[in-house]
Amino acid sequence: MKRVRIVTLLLIAALMLLCLVGCGSKQEGNYTVYYLDKDKSMLVPVSYKVTSDKVDDIIDELLDALSTNTDSADYFKPIPGDITVKDCKLNEGNLIIDFSADYYRLKGTEEVLTRSAIAKTMLQVEGVNKVTFYVSNKPLTDDDNNVVPSMSNDSFIDDYSDSSNFVTKKELSLYYATEDGQNLICEKKYVDVDERALIEEVVIDNLRRKPSTKGAKVAIPEDTKILYTAVADGVCYITLDSSQLSEKSDVSDKAVIYSIVNSMCDSADVTSVVIKTTNANAKTQQNNLDISGTYVEDQSLVVQVVSDEN
């Protein structure tokens, strides 16, 4: 009996040792640091092995990696040299990073990708559930002075393997342009939606597809790129690549705007939509208008509502 007890104790000790080793390797394991490609148009993931073993030190080490020049000509650090991290603190899962005022020099795609690179890198750290951006001790705001929402893992979609297990039917209210491009037609239909997908991205993706209603057409260019979307406190934030919006179109600017806004308000359950474009000087072809701004739903352009029973 005594021998059995000794063997049991040894097994328990061995298991505890394995657990301790496992915990250490998790803290000192490989991370992925996200850099910007040479055109500053996409993120480049690069493996990085931390040398620290404490959460605060790991955060500092990763921030340092994001701010340090790389040896590659194919990707660059996302945090430019003239932007410094003034403070960084982890508070109940919320990592608040306070940057110097020079952060506001970043515009359009570069700013969105910089913020995404930082968030995706930091969200790998144990205990970090979201990343909030500050500039000079105040929350980061966009060009319309709206607070930019925190970023979490739900802000990104990276893996759709075995997506059939997560597909569900959802009714969307999608607003398309009329044939003359001056008004809107609302098409209500059920679509297959991956439950892990961001609803605002699902809406935009379907808005770019040809409607089934006769006399209706896509209001936004089908090649329009969505660089960033988020929903926070009933507000939907969208950053669009403005290059496609500047192409010649017979759809009125108002129809373009409220195709997006009405679809979001009805389908994503938001009360307002903040639209940003990558280039503040880019104008729509129709009326030389920058569509960036904050909007609420407007049904005045809607001339028809069609329900797809399928």
Side-chain angles (χ1 to χ4, degrees), residues 16-266:
M16 290 178 65
L17 180 60
L18 285 173
C19 289
L20 289 172
V21 172
C23 292
S25 63
K26 182 177 182 180
Q27 290 290 342
E28 299 176 358
N30 287 323
Y31 285 74
T32 299
V33 173
Y34 289 86
Y35 295 94
L36 303 188
D37 74 331
K38 59 183 179 182
D39 297 322
K40 296 181 179 179
S41 61
M42 62 183 294
L43 300 184
V44 178
V46 178
S47 295
Y48 180 87
K49 189 173 181 62
V50 299
T51 58
S52 308
D53 57 2
K54 295 181 179 179
V55 170
D56 288 344
D57 293 337
I58 292 174
I59 290 172
D60 289 340
E61 187 175 340
L62 292 176
L63 278 175
D64 185 61
L66 290 165
S67 306
T68 302
N69 289 325
T70 70
D71 296 328
S72 174
D74 296 323
Y75 56 86
F76 301 88
K77 61 181 181 181
I79 303 178
D82 57 346
I83 298 175
T84 59
V85 177
K86 297 177 60 180
D87 191 21
C88 182
K89 57 184 177 182
L90 181 60
N91 183 16
E92 296 183 351
N94 182 19
L95 179 62
I96 301 174
I97 307 176
D98 188 18
F99 293 94
S100 61
D102 290 315
Y103 185 92
Y104 279 117
R105 181 184 60 76
L106 300 175
K107 299 294 182 182
T109 306
E110 183 180 2
E111 190 280 325
V112 173
L113 290 177
T114 294
R115 186 154 33 93
S116 298
I118 296 169
K120 284 178 73 69
T121 300
M122 292 304 175
L123 286 166
Q124 300 169 77
V125 180
E126 184 177 359
V128 177
N129 300 321
K130 63 179 180 179
V131 181
T132 302
F133 294 79
Y134 271 59
V135 176
S136 298
N137 298 317
K138 295 181 180 179
L140 173 66
T141 58
D142 59 23
D143 294 336
D144 297 311
N145 208 33
N146 297 300
V147 175
V148 175
S150 303
M151 302 186 77
S152 66
N153 283 318
D154 290 337
S155 302
F156 309 99
I157 304 174
D158 294 324
D159 184 10
Y160 282 92
S161 59
D162 297 327
S163 60
S164 60
N165 294 327
F166 297 89
V167 172
T168 184
K169 287 282 186 181
K170 180 174 178 60
E171 185 181 33
L172 300 181
S173 294
L174 303 171
Y175 290 78
Y176 298 100
T178 52
E179 199 164 2
D180 62 2
Q182 300 304 305
N183 293 288
L184 295 173
I185 294 175
C186 175
E187 185 175 282
K188 295 180 178 290
K189 61 182 179 181
Y190 284 90
V191 300
D192 290 330
V193 176
D194 191 305
E195 292 178 338
R196 297 167 295 176
L198 301 178
I199 185 61
E200 60 270 23
E201 293 188 353
V202 172
V203 172
I204 291 292
D205 183 55
N206 280 273
L207 276 179
R208 293 181 296 188
R209 300 179 184 180
K210 184 177 179 181
S212 56
T213 304
K214 185 177 181 180
K217 63 181 181 182
V218 173
I220 61 175
E222 295 185 26
D223 293 332
T224 300
K225 296 178 182 177
I226 295 86
L227 302 176
Y228 172 75
T229 63
V231 172
D233 299 326
V235 180
C236 179
Y237 299 85
I238 304 175
T239 300
L240 303 173
D241 182 347
S242 58
S243 59
Q244 296 297 326
L245 294 173
S246 301
E247 293 184 356
K248 187 174 181 179
S249 170
D250 59 357
V251 179
S252 72
D253 296 334
K254 196 171 182 180
V256 170
I257 292 170
Y258 287 100
S259 167
I260 298 172
V261 174
N262 289 359
S263 297
M264 286 297 176
C265 289
D266 282 2

